[in-house]
């Protein structure tokens, strides 16, 4: 197998050749055809998340120590299975649910793997990831049939799609005239607009500092756009029922929370970093909610895939590049040069093996 690995945080990934792992027990070996490039990959590559106030969260404290392979958005073909997995799965194309917990604790057994703290098995975080021709998945139950969906688009559903879906599920009940702000129109924000549209929300307000991203958001179905660099941005947003913050800075959080109508809800998804300080009484007096949302669970991924299969999810712009361009993809994402999502194609590299 060929993998692109972090050898040292912040340095270019290196191409590494190794033997294919052999699936044991209930494991499944997937030959990766597509692998999404995510903003979280940038943080993991750099080695930390900013917590604000000069504090950082280091990924090594969650067991993410170089050398390791990045990537948590794999789509591919089942190439080998462990002895406890039906052989009928061989050759099947599947999307991988990456937010895998220990599989044994009460939280995992309740289907909430993404909340597990006992031993997460996330590709590209605590296990070898998907910037690779092959990836080992612990159990076939984490494979989702996404047939009929474009492969590159399908890869994005396992992260940006399910993350957006889970965040939107945390909004308050919406009346037909209610406006919902999507703050940050990168890959996950764009998925958010798609899912909101699919769920029948009409008054979507796309917010960003980049005019090109706002144009793309409007094309995808946002009814209003607000450039948050403008001095009256807060005024334009005033009275929103919900804000989903896909950026996550003190400025975006402040903007979203201040603009909520009474009873509205601010959902934080983005991990850009910083600290929130907010007076307490107005949170009660305005009956607003401030809630975090982290990726999504397997049931939510299946729900997103079902929406996509029905043709209800308008695909965001997806650019497919050869897997060998993993470094350039990260650099472009880091420089804000990506509209929508970059997905790496590992098929050509696998053919060289
Ligand atoms: Zn991701
Ligand atoms: Zn668990």
């Amino acid at each position: 197998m060929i993998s692109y690995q972090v050898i040292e945080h912040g340095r270019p990934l290196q191409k590494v050749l190794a033997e294919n792992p052999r699936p044991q027990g209930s494991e499944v070996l997937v030959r990766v055809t597509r692998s999404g490039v995510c903003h979280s990959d940038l943080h993991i590559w750099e080695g930390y998340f900013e917590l604000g106030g000069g504090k950082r969260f280091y990924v090594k404290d969650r067991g993410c120590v170089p050398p390791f392979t990045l990537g948590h958005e794999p789509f591919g073909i089942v190439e080998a299975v462990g002895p406890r997995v039906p052989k009928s799965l061989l050759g099947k194309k599947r999307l991988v649910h990456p937010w895998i917990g220990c599989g044994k604790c009460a939280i995992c057994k309740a289907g909430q793997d993404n909340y597990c703290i006992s031993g997460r098995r996330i590709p590209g975080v605590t296990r070898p990831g998907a910037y690779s021709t092959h990836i080992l998945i612990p159990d076939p139950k984490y494979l989702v049939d996404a047939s009929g969906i474009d492969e590159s688009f399908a890869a994005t559903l396992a992260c940006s799609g399910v993350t957006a879906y889970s965040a939107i599920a945390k909004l308050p009940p919406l009346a037909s005239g209610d406006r919902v702000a999507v703050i940050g129109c990168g890959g996950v924000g764009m998925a958010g607009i798609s899912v909101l549209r699919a769920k029948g929300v009409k008054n979507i307000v796309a917010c960003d500092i980049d005019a090109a991203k706002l144009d793309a958001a409007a094309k995808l179905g946002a009814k209003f756009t607000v450039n948050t660099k403008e001095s009256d941005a807060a005024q334009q947003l005033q009275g929103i029922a919900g804000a989903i913050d896909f950026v996550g800075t003190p400025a975006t959080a402040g903007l979203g929370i201040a603009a909520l109508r009474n009873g509205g809800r601010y959902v934080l998804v983005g991990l850009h970093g910083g600290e929130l300080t907010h007076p307490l009484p107005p949170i009660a007096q305005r009956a607003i909610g401030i809630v975090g949302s982290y990726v999504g669970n397997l049931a939510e991924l299946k729900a997103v895939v079902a929406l996509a299969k029905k043709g209800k999810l308008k695909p965001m712009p997806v650019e497919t590049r050869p897997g060998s361009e993993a470094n350039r993809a990260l650099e472009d994402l880091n420089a804000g040069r990506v509209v929508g999502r970059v997905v790496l194609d590992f098929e050509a590299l696998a053919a060289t093996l």
Side-chain angles (χ1 to χ4, degrees), residues 268-284:
L268 174 63
V269 179
L271 300 171
H272 197 92
E275 254 173 330
L276 176 67
T277 47
H278 195 277
L280 292 172
I283 297 176

Side-chain angles (χ1 to χ4, degrees), residues 102-103 105 108 116:
C102 71
C105 73
C108 284
C116 176

Side-chain angles (χ1 to χ4, degrees), residues 224-242:
F224 311 99
T225 58
V226 172
N227 191 319
T228 48
K229 277 196 293 198
E230 287 166 15
S231 55
D232 66 342
Q235 230 172 317
Q236 292 185 58
L237 285 178
Q238 208 53 46
I240 51 175

Side-chain angles (χ1 to χ4, degrees), residues 38 40 72-73 99 159 341:
C38 178
S40 309
H72 54 264
E73 303 181 10
W99 313 110
C159 182
R341 205 68 155 172

